[in-house]
Amino acid sequence: MTIGTGIVLFVIGAILAFAINVDVEWANLDMIGYILMGAGAVAFVVGLILMLARRNRRPVDGTVRDDVL
């Protein structure tokens, strides 16, 4: 979910920064777009790190085997 959220934030930010040419008095849409693109990139990287951390865990079934000791 974090990876998808990061991609969506990045795309919305890119649209605001590069595709929309509207002047709004109360907001700088270019800066908002760049902020959203940065937040999207951070969310994407965090999602990848969490996914890789989850993948490297080994399942523990709670049993002790005699041949290991």
Side-chain angles (χ1 to χ4, degrees):
M1 172 135 176
T2 308
I3 295 173
T5 304
I7 293 171
V8 168
L9 284 175
F10 193 86
V11 168
I12 292 172
I15 290 170
L16 283 175
F18 303 120
I20 295 181
N21 293 325
V22 177
D23 289 331
V24 180
E25 295 178 11
W26 50 271
N28 185 354
L29 294 181
D30 290 338
M31 184 57 66
I32 293 172
Y34 293 135
I35 290 170
L36 286 175
M37 286 172 40
V42 169
F44 183 78
V45 169
V46 167
L48 284 179
I49 291 171
L50 290 175
M51 185 180 66
L52 292 175
R54 237 181 286 137
R55 178 184 281 180
N56 290 335
R57 289 188 197 150
R58 299 183 75 195
V60 178
D61 60 357
T63 60
V64 177
R65 295 181 3 199
D66 290 333
D67 59 342
V68 176
L69 299 175

